[in-house]
Structures are given as structure tokens and as C-alpha cells.
Amino acid sequence: MRIYEVKDYQEMSRKAANIMFAQMIQKPDSVLGLATGSTPVGIYRQLVEWYQKGDLDFSKIRSVNLDEYKGLSADNDQSYAYFMRKNLFDHVNINPENTNIPNGLEEDAQKECGRYNSVIQELGGIDLQLLGIGNNGHIGFNEPGEVFEAETHCVALTENTIQANARFFEKIEDVPRFAYSMGIKNIMQARSILLVASGESKAEALEKTIYGPISPAVPASILQLHNQVFIVADEAALSLVKERHGL
Ligand code: PGA
């Protein structure tokens, strides 16, 4: 794991965007694994800025997103499909046909998970997977549990995640209870992984990710087994790593 410590959220966004930039320059038809949540917003803003300046070209880029709420349509303003359009896709020259997100409206979980695994496979796998991390150590919607789920699956969200996501909904009852998420094998087969974290609320999860035992109790800890992981995190997110291990 290569760890980059940066001062704050803004620096995290810039550094992570630089890593994505390098990937896109080296391979203009890269398959990018994309993530949602608050953390990547600044990265996408930076990529849009570079695109507008003429420094980046998304015309051949393919993308696969980590996850989507089950039950929300792509037009729902809380869906991850909507998030991606608003934060990135609507502002760059990516071909919408080259973007992939699980279909939240597919009721048949087995069918949708199978379809999404095939999409990833047909793209030839993921070149660079961007990941946020939950304060419970989840990646995508791979929640802490007894086992690592290998491939795309339908997840019952934990109470912790429902609470964490409630801020985006009018009332907590509106937060979806299920989601489709890539599995750990889908993520681990990415050729490189970029994990970003900002703020003290991520400090415990990040410390366990980097130094803890590899366990499905902290899903991100599996990343210790991947040989091309970049972690870009700010001082607050790395505070416990530094306190307990130095850096
Ligand atoms: P956040 O979520 O970026 O909104 O903190 C990260 C995650 O849950 O993966």
C-alpha cells in the first residue's frame, strides 16, 4: 500500500485526481471503477476542471460504478446514477453508453447481479478502482460481516450505514434498506485501487484497514492483499495511524 498523507480535503481531492489523470493519459480507453458519497465529489470537480481546460479526454473512457440503491430509479435525486450525472458525466465528454451502474429498479437480484458481473467481465476488468471508505470499514456496500462476498450481490444495509446516509434523505424511513454492490473479488481484480479518506470519522476504519487483521469485520482490510493500492488521506483520517504506528 502506498500512502499519501495530505493536509486536508482539498489536497486529497487534487492528489487523487492526479492519480486518475495519470491513468487516463496512459490509457485513454481505461475502465474506471467509480464511487459515490461525499468524499469523491472534490475529485470529480477537479477532473471536470481539467476537462474544461482541455487537458483531459473522456471520449474513450468506460466506467463501472461500485453500487446503487435497490428500489431507486436513475432519475431519483438520491440514486447513484443521478449523483454520477450531476457530479461528473454531465460535465465531460464521456459517452453515456460507456457508463455502467447497477439497475436499482431491477427487482430480480440474481438477474441484476449476474448481469453486472458480466458487464465488468466484458469490459476486460477494471484498470483503476476509486474507493471511499465507510466509518465502519465498508467499501462499496460491502458491509462488515462474517464473510467476504465475492461478486455483485444484493446487500441489506447496516443500521450504521442507514444512519450515515440519512442526511441525504428527508426522513430516515426514506433511506433504502437494500443496495446492489460489487463484491470483494470484483474490487480486488482491479489492476489498481485508489482509496480516499478525509476527516476524523474515518480514522479508526483507516487504521484497521492498513494495520488490522484481514477480516470481513473490516472489509477494506482485504486491500492489504492487493499489490497496487494508493491511499490518499488527510491528516485527520490518518491521525490514528500516526498515533499508533508513526508514518
Ligand atoms: P462518504 O462515504 O464519502 O460519504 O464518507 C464513503 C463510503 O461510505 O464509502
Side-chain angles (χ1 to χ4, degrees), residues 23-24 27-32 51 56-63 92-100 123 127:
Q23 173 67 43
M24 292 173 65
K27 190 178 175 202
D29 62 347
S30 288
V31 177
L32 300 179
Y51 165 75
L56 265 183
D57 177 20
F58 287 76
S59 62
K60 298 198 181 76
I61 292 292
R62 284 87 47 81
S63 73
V92 298
N93 65 335
I94 197 163
N95 179 350
E97 286 178 12
N98 289 340
T99 66
N100 297 282
L123 287 169
D127 289 304

Coordinates of all heavy atoms in Angstrom, one line a residue, residues 23-24 27-32 51 56-63 92-100 123 127:
Q23 N -3.7 7.9 -15.0 CA -4.3 6.6 -15.6 C -4.9 6.9 -16.9 O -4.7 6.2 -17.9 CB -5.3 6.1 -14.6 CG -6.1 4.9 -15.2 CD -5.3 3.6 -15.4 OE1 -4.5 3.3 -14.5 NE2 -5.5 3.0 -16.5
M24 N -5.7 8.0 -17.0 CA -6.4 8.4 -18.3 C -5.4 8.8 -19.4 O -5.7 8.5 -20.6 CB -7.4 9.5 -18.0 CG -8.5 9.0 -17.1 SD -9.6 10.3 -16.6 CE -10.3 10.8 -18.2
K27 N -3.7 5.5 -20.5 CA -4.6 4.6 -21.2 C -5.9 5.3 -21.5 O -6.8 5.2 -20.6 CB -4.8 3.3 -20.4 CG -5.5 2.2 -21.2 CD -5.7 0.9 -20.4 CE -6.5 -0.1 -21.1 NZ -7.1 -1.1 -20.3
P28 N -6.1 5.9 -22.6 CA -7.3 6.8 -22.9 C -8.6 6.0 -22.9 O -9.6 6.6 -22.7 CB -7.0 7.4 -24.2 CG -5.5 7.3 -24.4 CD -5.1 6.1 -23.7
D29 N -8.5 4.7 -23.1 CA -9.8 3.9 -23.0 C -9.8 3.1 -21.7 O -10.4 2.0 -21.7 CB -9.9 3.0 -24.2 CG -8.8 1.9 -24.3 OD1 -7.7 2.1 -23.6 OD2 -8.9 1.0 -25.1
S30 N -9.3 3.6 -20.7 CA -9.3 3.0 -19.4 C -10.7 2.6 -18.9 O -11.7 3.3 -19.2 CB -8.7 3.9 -18.3 OG -7.3 4.0 -18.4
V31 N -10.8 1.5 -18.2 CA -12.0 1.2 -17.5 C -11.9 1.7 -16.0 O -11.0 1.3 -15.3 CB -12.3 -0.3 -17.4 CG1 -13.6 -0.6 -16.6 CG2 -12.4 -0.8 -18.8
L32 N -12.6 2.8 -15.7 CA -12.5 3.4 -14.4 C -13.7 2.8 -13.5 O -14.8 2.9 -13.9 CB -12.6 4.9 -14.5 CG -11.6 5.6 -15.3 CD1 -11.8 7.1 -15.3 CD2 -10.2 5.3 -14.8
Y51 N -10.9 18.8 -17.6 CA -11.5 18.5 -18.9 C -11.9 19.9 -19.6 O -11.6 20.1 -20.8 CB -12.8 17.7 -18.6 CG -13.7 17.7 -19.9 CD1 -13.4 17.0 -21.0 CD2 -14.8 18.5 -19.9 CE1 -14.1 17.0 -22.1 CE2 -15.6 18.6 -21.0 CZ -15.3 17.8 -22.1 OH -16.0 17.8 -23.3
L56 N -8.0 16.9 -20.4 CA -8.5 15.5 -20.2 C -9.5 15.2 -21.3 O -10.4 16.0 -21.6 CB -9.1 15.3 -18.8 CG -8.3 14.8 -17.7 CD1 -9.1 14.7 -16.4 CD2 -7.6 13.5 -18.0
D57 N -9.5 13.9 -21.7 CA -10.5 13.5 -22.7 C -11.2 12.2 -22.2 O -10.5 11.2 -21.9 CB -9.7 13.2 -24.0 CG -10.6 12.7 -25.1 OD1 -11.9 12.8 -25.0 OD2 -10.1 12.1 -26.1
F58 N -12.5 12.2 -22.1 CA -13.2 11.1 -21.6 C -13.9 10.3 -22.8 O -14.6 9.4 -22.5 CB -14.3 11.5 -20.7 CG -13.9 12.0 -19.3 CD1 -13.3 13.2 -19.1 CD2 -14.0 11.1 -18.2 CE1 -12.8 13.6 -17.9 CE2 -13.6 11.6 -16.9 CZ -13.0 12.8 -16.8
S59 N -13.6 10.7 -24.0 CA -14.4 10.1 -25.1 C -14.2 8.6 -25.2 O -15.2 7.9 -25.7 CB -14.0 10.8 -26.4 OG -12.6 10.5 -26.7
K60 N -13.1 8.0 -24.8 CA -13.0 6.6 -24.9 C -13.1 5.8 -23.5 O -12.9 4.6 -23.5 CB -11.6 6.2 -25.5 CG -11.4 6.7 -26.9 CD -10.3 6.0 -27.6 CE -10.1 6.5 -29.1 NZ -9.4 7.8 -29.1
I61 N -13.2 6.7 -22.5 CA -13.3 6.1 -21.1 C -14.5 5.2 -20.9 O -15.6 5.6 -21.4 CB -13.2 7.2 -20.1 CG1 -11.8 7.9 -20.1 CG2 -13.6 6.7 -18.7 CD1 -10.7 7.1 -19.6
R62 N -14.4 4.1 -20.3 CA -15.5 3.3 -19.9 C -15.6 3.3 -18.3 O -14.5 3.4 -17.7 CB -15.3 1.8 -20.3 CG -15.6 1.5 -21.8 CD -14.4 1.7 -22.7 NE -13.2 1.1 -22.3 CZ -12.9 -0.2 -22.5 NH1 -13.7 -1.0 -23.0 NH2 -11.7 -0.6 -22.1
S63 N -16.7 3.3 -17.8 CA -16.8 3.3 -16.3 C -17.8 2.3 -15.8 O -18.8 1.9 -16.4 CB -17.2 4.7 -15.8 OG -18.6 4.9 -16.1
V92 N -18.6 16.2 -18.7 CA -17.4 15.8 -19.5 C -17.9 15.0 -20.8 O -19.1 14.8 -20.9 CB -16.5 14.9 -18.7 CG1 -15.9 15.6 -17.5 CG2 -17.2 13.6 -18.2
N93 N -17.0 14.7 -21.7 CA -17.4 14.1 -22.9 C -17.4 12.6 -22.9 O -17.0 11.9 -23.8 CB -16.5 14.6 -24.1 CG -15.1 14.2 -23.9 OD1 -14.6 13.9 -22.8 ND2 -14.3 14.1 -25.0
I94 N -17.9 12.0 -21.7 CA -18.0 10.6 -21.7 C -19.2 10.2 -22.4 O -20.2 10.9 -22.4 CB -18.0 10.1 -20.2 CG1 -17.7 8.6 -20.1 CG2 -19.3 10.4 -19.5 CD1 -17.3 8.1 -18.7
N95 N -19.2 9.0 -23.1 CA -20.4 8.5 -23.8 C -21.2 7.8 -22.8 O -20.8 6.8 -22.2 CB -19.9 7.5 -24.9 CG -21.0 6.9 -25.7 OD1 -22.2 7.1 -25.3 ND2 -20.7 6.3 -26.7
P96 N -22.5 8.3 -22.6 CA -23.3 7.7 -21.6 C -23.4 6.1 -21.7 O -23.6 5.4 -20.8 CB -24.7 8.3 -21.8 CG -24.4 9.6 -22.4 CD -23.1 9.4 -23.2
E97 N -23.3 5.7 -23.0 CA -23.4 4.2 -23.2 C -22.2 3.5 -22.7 O -22.2 2.3 -22.5 CB -23.5 4.0 -24.7 CG -24.9 4.3 -25.3 CD -25.0 4.1 -26.8 OE1 -24.1 3.5 -27.4 OE2 -26.0 4.6 -27.3
N98 N -21.1 4.2 -22.4 CA -20.0 3.6 -21.8 C -19.9 3.7 -20.3 O -18.9 3.3 -19.7 CB -18.7 4.3 -22.3 CG -18.4 3.9 -23.8 OD1 -19.0 3.0 -24.3 ND2 -17.6 4.7 -24.5
T99 N -21.0 4.1 -19.7 CA -21.1 4.2 -18.2 C -22.0 3.1 -17.7 O -23.0 2.8 -18.3 CB -21.6 5.6 -17.7 OG1 -23.0 5.7 -18.1 CG2 -20.8 6.7 -18.3
N100 N -21.6 2.5 -16.6 CA -22.4 1.4 -16.1 C -22.6 1.5 -14.6 O -21.7 1.8 -13.9 CB -21.6 0.1 -16.3 CG -21.5 -0.2 -17.8 OD1 -22.4 -0.7 -18.5 ND2 -20.3 0.1 -18.4
L123 N -15.9 -5.9 -20.1 CA -15.1 -4.7 -20.2 C -13.6 -5.1 -20.1 O -12.7 -4.2 -20.3 CB -15.4 -3.6 -19.2 CG -16.7 -2.9 -19.4 CD1 -17.1 -2.1 -18.2 CD2 -16.6 -2.0 -20.6
D127 N -9.4 -1.0 -14.7 CA -8.0 -0.6 -14.6 C -7.7 0.1 -13.3 O -6.7 -0.1 -12.6 CB -7.7 0.4 -15.8 CG -7.7 -0.4 -17.1 OD1 -6.9 -1.3 -17.2 OD2 -8.5 0.0 -18.0

